[in-house]
Amino acid sequence: MDYRTSEGDYRVPGSVVKNSNVTFTFVSEKDARIYLYNISDLSLVNVIDVPEEYRRGKVMSVSVRIPDPYSLCYRIEHDGIIEADPYSKKIIGREKWADFDRQKNSYRIYSAFSDPRFSWRGDKPIKNKSEDLIIYRLHMRGFTMNSHLPENKKGTSKGFITRIKNIIDLGFNAVEFMPLYEFEELKYHSYGTVQPGGKIVEEYQKPYGINFWGYGTGNYFAPKASYFGGSDPEIRMKEMIRFLHEKNIEIIMEFSFTENTSDRMILNVIKFWRETYHIDGFRLLGENLPLKQIAGDPFLSDVRIFYDYFPEDILMKESPDFRHLFIQNDAFLYPLRKLQNHMDGSITEFANMMKRQNESYGFVNFAASSNGFTLLDAYSYSEKHNESNGEDNRDGLNYNYSHNYGVEGPTNSKNVMNERLKHMRTSLGALFMGQGIPLVQAGDLSGNTQFGNNNAYCQDNDIGWVSFSKKKMFADLKSYAKNLIHFRKSHPVLHGTRPMQMTDYKHTGFPDLSYHGREPWTVWLSDDRKSIGMLYCGAYSDMEDDDVFVCYNFYFNEEGFQLPKARAGRAWRYVSNTLKADWFDPPVSLENEDLLIVPGGSMTILVGVIEEKRTNKRSGKNK
């Protein structure tokens, strides 16, 4: 076959198919070649030398006549290296997860040509109000391996779609995925050997482990084939995105960039997934990323960007018209956990985390993460147990501020489990009462445990896979979380974009947010205090809302709060306390209209309702 060549256009990195021509554009300082293979058996079909005149600086671009490109795949030789195209939109060779037989082929992967034909049926990225987001974070394989699913659905998007109804029913409207792009999950060693005649040959050893999470160098433009049906990952991924968008679920993708990833590639990656796959937001991981270029790029001005820290000079330029930058780090987690587990927690730090907000950019809060203990493990283990990672328990975070409440790990003690569940409910309660966007890690509402492992990056097994307990106690926990989510959605005063001023700037007689101690309107935010009441005045919501009074008691013993007088025409009504996980909807009358007793280690929720709403005369207990 005559593979005629002509000069390419240099504008789009990677391969672009147009009719019977394919344009290859890539970086190379030296001579370059393109190797074409039969996609069915990976046999070599042709080698194409790229003429030196098809170069602009370090960029080479050649257009090759290929009548049936989708029957072929390719690799590029540049600067003495033969490898898959780093801009490849489809990867051949990793269709099966953790296929140890790949050692026979030196773990080689190939680039395939992207077929753009797909009907989005009018689908577009979603633009919900950022303050309304409630995020569920998961790992595609880990989320589906321990489920009672057919084997062909485990570890795949098909399994995820089967379980999505549970996420929607709970009230989540965004899913954050750990890496969905193609990455090498097999960890292996290679070394060069000198053959007769002086030729050096690369030898590849058997895999010694799994990069389960997928962080590190990746093929950033290609969906992970083993997650999305093997042979047609592009179509399967687009179908999943279209389905989620039909359910009004936003998709946030995590991307982990290494130090040697160029700024240009990072920008191209984000733009590509936004344009080609309609991705709604990106959680970026890595050091020295081109944050100014990303934040200031006009094409990305309506794309949500999540990062652990944005420099102040970038944030100061943001506009409240569309908040698209979000700080996502563990700043919320530790003040809460230190107070709960009595490890020198600061009520001042906690109060500040509960109200951190900005009109021009946002914050994401979470009470547990994959980079640390699960929610259950944070109250079940006093020490990390990462021995199975093979690093002598040296890896993982050492500052977990966790506590086991009498037994290290699993227990049959009802008293111990009740104590743990109380703290889990209190943790979730604080999360959904906070002004920032709440994020929940997959399985945390169902009693997922990693058996004390706080760094399960290599655990492709029951440790790293999400377990969904069927025990009634965790079904009740999930139900409680659902009530919290509904309560948050029903009370916009809890999640407005306007930062709380703690002043009565609307002249209602109440500040937008006020702090209360044992006596109303008085609180000492000092390190020796371990309780606080937070009163959110509904008059400061964008729409008229009930007042919400949340009392946190992080002491061991119960704490009494003298209730502030409700706004004119309103009365305090009881909703819930996290000790027993009761929930009243509509809220009920208090046993004592003046004094609220909050049990140790718990939080209580009251609402100030218009007195005409008193439809339930049953008394709600204060403890």
Side-chain angles (χ1 to χ4, degrees), residues 477-548:
L477 178 68
K478 184 185 294 184
S479 178
Y480 194 78
K482 184 174 182 178
N483 285 328
L484 285 167
I485 292 172
H486 176 73
F487 186 84
R488 178 184 178 88
K489 290 181 176 181
S490 301
H491 295 282
V493 70
L494 294 172
H495 55 91
T497 59
R498 188 180 301 111
M500 293 294 184
Q501 303 298 309
M502 303 195 74
T503 61
D504 184 14
Y505 60 86
K506 283 191 176 181
H507 309 292
T508 67
F510 281 70
D512 52 1
L513 171 65
S514 52
Y515 295 155
H516 303 259
R518 292 169 182 153
E519 297 179 357
W521 305 106
T522 59
V523 65
W524 290 269
L525 294 177
S526 58
D527 289 342
D528 62 330
R529 294 295 303 163
K530 305 301 177 187
S531 66
I532 190 171
M534 298 183 180
L535 196 166
Y536 304 84
C537 179
Y540 292 87
S541 172
D542 291 337
M543 58 187 73
E544 182 63 22
D545 192 4
D546 293 332
D547 300 335
V548 178

Side-chain angles (χ1 to χ4, degrees), residues 3 12-17 22-27 33-40 42-48 50 60 62 64 66 68-78 81-93 108-115 219 221-222 234:
Y3 293 93
V12 181
S15 62
V16 177
V17 178
V22 180
T23 298
F24 300 87
T25 303
F26 54 92
V27 173
R33 296 175 181 83
I34 297 169
Y35 293 75
L36 296 176
Y37 304 85
N38 191 312
I39 202 169
S40 60
L42 302 179
S43 59
L44 183 64
V45 173
N46 203 353
V47 180
I48 299 169
V50 182
M60 304 192 79
V62 59
V64 183
I66 305 178
D68 186 14
Y70 301 114
S71 66
L72 303 177
C73 54
Y74 70 100
R75 286 161 63 85
I76 294 175
E77 180 179 356
H78 66 95
I81 301 171
I82 304 175
E83 63 178 1
D85 186 348
Y87 279 85
S88 177
K89 301 172 184 63
K90 183 177 180 180
I91 292 295
I92 302 297
R108 189 175 299 160
I109 58 173
Y110 304 79
S111 300
F113 300 107
S114 177
D115 188 346
N219 301 96
F221 295 86
E234 298 165 288

Side-chain angles (χ1 to χ4, degrees), residues 142-162:
F143 184 67
T144 55
M145 287 302 293
N146 257 340
S147 302
H148 298 288
L149 296 170
E151 287 300 318
N152 68 329
K153 290 187 177 181
K154 289 186 176 183
T156 70
S157 60
K158 290 182 179 179
F160 166 73
I161 291 298
T162 301

